């Protein structure tokens, strides 16, 4: 069980006995008794979690929402682990590196969005400091790069995916990119029908049989180049 100690000038401390049997304090600073009581309950839950190895989602979300100072005090008391670096550059590098399940083309798409995020926010931007307003400004930044609406939406979707993982990892409380419009947007102006006559001219201009095969599979087989071509096997 934990207890509350009142110091002069309205300052409060939580006193608790850890799993190792040592009594430790956590300084709250100036706080009301109601605030101290609520904090004491969380400390007791953290002590229980250290003993059982099980932490409920509500407590985990509460920890994620603490500022650096208070989180550091809990870490110094041995109730939580030290926070890892929450800088944008390190987080994105780690996420992209860990995605060993994606193919080369997807990794390139990730790289474009990662580069845009670093260009706008800087690698040393703390994840929890990125707001919904910042996310909207970043979208306008993409538009200012003369990117198409479809590309802007696609990169917003990737950014949303990046920060959704940060939420699931309890690095941040909410996803600042969640409200941005995302997803592919068809651009009919880019559509072009290659006639048989044009296809024959392209085939004649191909330097060898391999290039003719690649073009024929695209024009007549409907394969996406180069990903689906390179995935084909003789079998």
């Amino acid at each position: 069980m934990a207890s509350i100690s009142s110091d002069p000038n309205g300052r409060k401390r939580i006193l608790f006995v850890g799993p190792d049997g040592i009594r430790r304090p956590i300084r709250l600073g100036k706080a009301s008794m109601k605030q101290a009581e609520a904090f004491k309950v969380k400390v007791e839950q953290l002590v229980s979690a250290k003993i059982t190895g099980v932490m409920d989602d509500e407590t985990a979300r509460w920890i994620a929402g603490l500022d650096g100072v208070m989180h550091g005090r809990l870490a110094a008391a041995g109730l939580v682990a030290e926070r890892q670096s929450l800088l944008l550059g390190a987080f994105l590098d780690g996420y992209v590196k860990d995605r060993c399940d994606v193919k080369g083309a997807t990794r390139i798409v990730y790289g474009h969005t990662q580069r845009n995020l670093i260009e706008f926010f800087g690698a040393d931007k703390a994840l929890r400091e990125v707001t919904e307003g910042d996310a909207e400004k970043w979208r306008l930044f993409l538009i200012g790069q003369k990117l198409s609406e479809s590309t802007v939406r696609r990169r917003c979707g990737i950014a949303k995916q990046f920060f959704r993982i940060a939420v699931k990892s309890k690095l941040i409380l909410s996803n600042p990119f969640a409200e941005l419009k995302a997803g592919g947007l068809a651009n009919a102006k880019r559509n072009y029908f290659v006639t048989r006559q044009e296809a024959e001219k392209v085939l004649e201009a191909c330097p060898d049989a391999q290039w003719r095969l690649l073009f024929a599979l695209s024009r007549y087989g409907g394969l996406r180049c180069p990903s689906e071509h390179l995935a084909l096997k003789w079998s």
Side-chain angles (χ1 to χ4, degrees):
M1 295 293 290
S3 61
I4 300 172
S5 175
S6 296
D7 294 335
N9 301 322
R11 292 182 174 83
K12 301 287 191 302
R13 288 180 296 161
I14 304 297
L15 302 173
F16 74 97
V17 177
D20 55 3
I22 299 176
R23 188 177 180 84
R24 293 185 174 88
I26 299 176
R27 298 183 182 277
L28 302 184
K30 288 188 177 182
S32 66
M33 185 56 69
K34 183 176 181 180
Q35 292 171 325
E37 287 284 355
F39 200 95
K40 180 175 77 73
V41 171
K42 294 301 183 185
V43 168
E44 290 172 345
Q45 291 172 342
L46 289 174
V47 173
S48 176
K50 293 290 289 186
I51 295 173
T52 64
V54 178
M55 182 182 297
D56 62 89
D57 290 341
E58 181 182 351
T59 304
R61 287 193 295 271
W62 177 77
I63 292 172
L66 292 174
D67 61 32
V69 174
M70 188 54 68
H71 189 280
R73 291 175 183 174
L74 291 176
L79 293 179
V80 298
E82 291 284 353
R83 269 182 178 155
Q84 298 176 350
S85 175
L86 300 181
L87 301 182
L88 179 63
F91 169 74
L92 294 178
D93 285 342
Y95 176 77
V96 174
K97 181 180 179 181
D98 290 342
R99 288 302 303 269
C100 58
D101 58 321
V102 300
K103 297 181 180 179
T106 302
R107 193 170 293 276
I108 291 174
V109 173
Y110 283 178
H112 290 320
T113 304
Q114 179 182 8
R115 172 174 49 80
N116 290 147
L117 287 167
I118 297 301
E119 286 175 348
F120 184 78
F121 292 108
D124 293 333
K125 180 74 170 181
L127 284 182
R128 65 177 57 252
E129 292 179 0
V130 180
T131 66
E132 292 183 3
D134 292 333
E136 182 61 34
K137 290 177 183 178
W138 181 73
R139 186 186 71 84
L140 296 175
F141 165 76
L142 295 182
I143 295 174
Q145 300 297 304
K146 307 301 182 182
L147 300 176
S148 68
E149 177 64 18
S150 178
T151 300
V152 170
R153 288 192 176 206
R154 187 158 53 249
R155 294 190 186 178
C156 285
I158 297 298
K160 186 184 300 188
Q161 176 182 332
F162 288 160
F163 277 75
R164 184 165 58 244
I165 295 300
V167 173
K168 289 184 177 179
S169 301
K170 304 188 186 306
L171 301 178
I172 54 178
L173 286 177
S174 60
N175 187 343
F177 293 82
E179 300 301 321
L180 295 187
K181 292 182 179 179
L185 186 66
N187 185 356
K189 293 181 180 180
R190 300 180 66 181
N191 292 344
Y192 182 83
F193 179 76
V194 180
T195 66
R196 283 182 175 273
Q197 292 77 15
E198 291 170 332
E200 290 297 328
K201 291 180 181 179
V202 173
L203 286 171
E204 291 176 4
C206 288
D208 53 40
Q210 184 179 38
W211 276 101
R212 287 193 289 273
L213 176 61
L214 288 171
F215 178 76
L217 287 172
S218 300
R219 170 58 180 84
Y220 297 108
L223 272 66
R224 291 178 293 183
C225 186
S227 58
E228 293 185 344
H229 298 70
L230 299 180
L232 289 176
K233 299 179 180 179
W234 284 111
S235 56

